[in-house]
Amino acid sequence: MTDYTPADITPAELQPAGIAASIPEGWAIDQATDPAQITDWDDRQAVALIPFEVIGGYPRNPAGRTGKIGRNLRKWGENQAADPIVVTGTAPGRRVLLICRDDCGHWAIPGGMVDPGETAPAALIRELREETGVDLHDVEPVVLTRTYVDDPRNTDWAWITSTVALFQVPTPVDVAAGSDALDARWWPFDGIDQLRAAIHEADDQLYAPHEALLMQVPAPDPLSAP
Ligand code: BGC
């Protein structure tokens, strides 16, 4: 057997002293500083988007080994996000609404983490409103996938999954960046290559973990061109 020596990426604020000093009891963050202290794994496994195992008190990342342990997310095990992909147009010339993330400066889907007690559909609408000012509570989304997200914060013991849904709107509504967004705008989106190229041309980058999510959107229909 080859040696496996994963790195612990837990930031200071999620280590025991950091949690004791700065995370108030009752916040939606696991106070446990070791996954083996979690007592409700059965409940967490029952509501998981992607099934996962717990072995000897340690959750196992369903995507396999990451080379990392510890946690840089709110919870041990699965952390659920909701990612609303808003597009306008069904023909070539289609556009997609993205935000510029304030943590890395890359252009991403205006999604976020599902709050405790919140449903994924509610989180899709809330995150979109908070990050772009766009209110689509009266638009019926189409769930494209419920999937693992290849996020750099994932470890063997804590990872992100997401409910990814498509919202189709008739015109590019006005947007206003808010909460975790530095900017929000519509980008050309006949396909992932065109989107990536347009963002590069603006000297910016597409948020890598979201490429696979955006690729779930069906191609525009050339026959429906005006
Ligand atoms: C974002 C989500 C994203 C997830 C995984 C969260 O911080 O808000 O949009 O899917 O990270 O990258």
Side-chain angles (χ1 to χ4, degrees):
M1 232 177 94
T2 51
D3 280 352
Y4 180 58
T5 47
D8 190 327
I9 65 157
T10 310
E13 70 267 21
L14 291 176
Q15 285 175 12
I19 291 201
S22 63
I23 312 278
E25 195 90 29
W27 267 31
I29 291 184
D30 280 338
Q31 299 278 331
T33 53
D34 189 305
Q37 299 160 353
I38 299 290
T39 53
D40 64 349
W41 281 122
D42 288 352
D43 297 342
R44 296 182 187 211
Q45 286 172 293
V47 298
L49 283 192
I50 310 287
F52 67 92
E53 290 184 310
V54 178
I55 299 173
Y58 286 77
R60 289 282 176 100
N61 186 319
R65 285 176 164 178
T66 59
K68 295 181 261 180
I69 53 169
R71 117 182 110 138
N72 191 7
L73 293 164
R74 289 185 199 171
K75 298 199 301 182
W76 296 107
E78 187 182 80
N79 288 258
Q80 284 190 24
D83 283 296
I85 301 181
V86 185
V87 300
T88 183
T90 52
R94 183 175 68 179
R95 296 207 257 160
V96 64
L97 177 56
L98 299 183
I99 55 126
C100 183
R101 290 176 66 106
D102 68 357
D103 57 352
C104 60
H106 296 175
W107 288 90
I109 302 166
M113 306 313 291
V114 178
D115 283 340
E118 188 181 41
T119 62
L124 287 163
I125 300 292
R126 175 183 54 73
E127 285 290 343
L128 185 64
R129 197 179 332 102
E130 286 175 5
E131 298 196 356
T132 68
V134 174
D135 186 353
L136 293 188
H137 74 272
D138 53 357
V139 176
E140 192 65 41
V142 176
V143 174
L144 296 174
T145 182
R146 295 179 180 87
T147 185
Y148 180 84
V149 185
D150 191 10
D151 187 280
R153 292 164 291 181
N154 292 339
T155 68
D156 292 358
W157 301 338
W159 57 90
I160 298 179
T161 62
S162 182
T163 298
V164 183
L166 182 65
F167 293 79
Q168 184 80 49
V169 296
T171 53
V173 288
D174 286 346
V175 297
S179 64
D180 305 335
L182 298 175
D183 199 358
R185 59 166 281 198
W186 293 93
W187 290 91
F189 183 46
D190 286 339
I192 193 77
D193 292 339
Q194 184 202 33
L195 175 63
R196 214 187 285 115
I199 295 177
H200 278 174
E201 222 162 281
D203 275 339
D204 276 328
Q205 273 188 60
L206 179 58
Y207 183 55
H210 283 180
E211 291 206 11
L213 310 189
L214 288 159
M215 284 165 73
Q216 299 290 324
V217 181
D221 178 6
L223 299 178
S224 67

Coordinates of all heavy atoms in Angstrom, one line a residue, residues 14 23-31 44 71 73-76 79 113-117:
L14 N -11.5 27.8 12.4 CA -12.3 26.6 12.6 C -11.5 25.6 13.5 O -12.0 24.4 13.7 CB -12.7 26.0 11.3 CG -13.7 26.8 10.5 CD1 -14.0 26.2 9.1 CD2 -15.0 26.9 11.2
I23 N -17.0 31.8 17.3 CA -18.2 31.2 16.7 C -19.2 31.1 17.8 O -19.2 30.1 18.6 CB -18.0 29.8 16.0 CG1 -16.7 29.9 15.1 CG2 -19.2 29.4 15.3 CD1 -16.9 30.4 13.7
P24 N -20.3 31.9 17.8 CA -21.3 31.8 18.9 C -22.0 30.5 18.8 O -22.3 30.0 17.7 CB -22.2 33.0 18.6 CG -21.5 33.8 17.6 CD -20.5 33.0 16.9
E25 N -22.4 29.9 19.9 CA -23.2 28.7 20.0 C -24.5 28.9 19.2 O -25.0 30.0 19.2 CB -23.5 28.4 21.5 CG -24.1 27.1 21.8 CD -22.9 26.1 22.2 OE1 -21.9 26.5 22.7 OE2 -23.2 24.9 21.9
G26 N -24.9 27.9 18.5 CA -26.2 28.1 17.8 C -26.0 28.6 16.3 O -27.0 28.6 15.6
W27 N -24.8 29.0 16.0 CA -24.6 29.3 14.6 C -24.6 28.1 13.7 O -24.4 27.0 14.2 CB -23.2 30.0 14.4 CG -23.3 31.5 14.5 CD1 -24.2 32.2 15.2 CD2 -22.4 32.4 13.8 NE1 -23.9 33.6 15.1 CE2 -22.9 33.7 14.2 CE3 -21.4 32.3 13.0 CZ2 -22.3 34.9 13.8 CZ3 -20.7 33.4 12.5 CH2 -21.2 34.7 12.9
A28 N -24.9 28.3 12.4 CA -25.0 27.1 11.5 C -23.6 26.6 11.2 O -23.4 26.2 10.0 CB -25.7 27.6 10.3
I29 N -22.8 26.5 12.2 CA -21.4 26.0 11.9 C -21.2 24.8 13.0 O -21.5 25.0 14.1 CB -20.4 27.1 12.1 CG1 -20.5 28.1 11.0 CG2 -19.0 26.5 12.3 CD1 -19.4 29.2 11.0
D30 N -20.7 23.7 12.6 CA -20.4 22.6 13.5 C -19.4 23.1 14.6 O -18.3 23.5 14.2 CB -19.9 21.4 12.8 CG -20.9 20.5 12.2 OD1 -22.1 20.6 12.6 OD2 -20.6 19.8 11.2
Q31 N -19.8 23.0 15.8 CA -18.9 23.4 16.9 C -17.9 22.3 17.1 O -16.8 22.5 17.6 CB -19.7 23.6 18.2 CG -20.7 24.7 18.2 CD -20.2 26.1 18.4 OE1 -19.1 26.2 19.1 NE2 -20.8 27.1 17.8
R44 N -27.9 13.2 8.9 CA -27.2 13.9 7.8 C -27.1 13.0 6.6 O -27.3 13.5 5.5 CB -25.8 14.3 8.3 CG -25.8 15.3 9.4 CD -24.4 15.7 9.8 NE -24.5 16.5 11.0 CZ -23.6 17.5 11.3 NH1 -22.6 17.8 10.5 NH2 -23.8 18.2 12.4
R71 N -11.3 20.7 7.8 CA -12.5 21.3 7.2 C -12.3 22.8 7.0 O -11.8 23.5 7.9 CB -13.7 21.0 8.0 CG -14.4 22.2 8.6 CD -15.6 21.9 9.4 NE -15.3 22.1 10.7 CZ -16.1 22.7 11.6 NH1 -17.4 23.0 11.2 NH2 -15.8 23.0 12.8
L73 N -15.1 24.4 5.7 CA -16.5 24.7 5.4 C -17.3 24.7 6.7 O -16.8 24.3 7.7 CB -17.1 23.5 4.5 CG -16.4 23.5 3.1 CD1 -16.7 22.2 2.4 CD2 -17.0 24.6 2.2
R74 N -18.6 25.0 6.6 CA -19.3 25.1 7.9 C -19.5 23.8 8.6 O -19.5 23.7 9.8 CB -20.8 25.6 7.6 CG -20.8 27.1 7.2 CD -22.3 27.4 7.1 NE -22.6 28.6 6.3 CZ -23.8 28.9 5.9 NH1 -24.8 28.2 6.1 NH2 -23.9 30.1 5.2
K75 N -19.7 22.7 7.8 CA -20.0 21.5 8.4 C -19.1 20.3 8.0 O -18.5 20.4 6.9 CB -21.5 21.1 8.0 CG -22.5 22.1 8.5 CD -23.9 21.5 8.4 CE -24.3 21.0 7.1 NZ -25.7 20.5 7.1
W76 N -19.0 19.3 8.9 CA -18.3 18.1 8.5 C -19.3 17.3 7.6 O -20.5 17.5 7.7 CB -18.1 17.2 9.8 CG -17.1 17.9 10.7 CD1 -17.4 18.4 11.9 CD2 -15.7 18.0 10.6 NE1 -16.3 18.9 12.5 CE2 -15.2 18.7 11.7 CE3 -14.8 17.7 9.6 CZ2 -13.9 19.0 11.9 CZ3 -13.5 18.0 9.7 CH2 -13.0 18.7 10.9
N79 N -21.9 19.7 2.7 CA -22.4 21.0 2.8 C -23.2 21.4 1.5 O -22.6 21.3 0.4 CB -21.2 22.0 2.9 CG -20.5 21.9 4.2 OD1 -20.7 22.7 5.1 ND2 -19.7 20.8 4.4
M113 N -24.7 28.8 0.0 CA -25.0 27.6 0.8 C -26.5 27.7 1.3 O -27.0 28.7 1.5 CB -24.1 27.6 2.0 CG -22.6 27.6 1.7 SD -22.0 26.5 0.4 CE -22.2 24.9 1.1
V114 N -27.1 26.5 1.3 CA -28.5 26.4 1.8 C -28.4 26.6 3.3 O -27.6 26.0 4.0 CB -29.0 25.0 1.5 CG1 -30.4 24.8 2.0 CG2 -29.0 24.7 0.0
D115 N -29.3 27.4 3.9 CA -29.3 27.7 5.3 C -30.0 26.5 6.1 O -30.8 25.8 5.5 CB -30.1 29.0 5.6 CG -29.2 30.2 5.3 OD1 -28.0 30.1 5.3 OD2 -29.8 31.3 5.1
P116 N -29.7 26.4 7.4 CA -30.3 25.3 8.1 C -31.9 25.5 8.1 O -32.4 26.6 8.2 CB -29.9 25.5 9.6 CG -28.7 26.4 9.5 CD -28.8 27.2 8.2
G117 N -32.6 24.4 7.8 CA -34.1 24.5 7.8 C -34.6 25.1 6.5 O -35.8 25.1 6.3

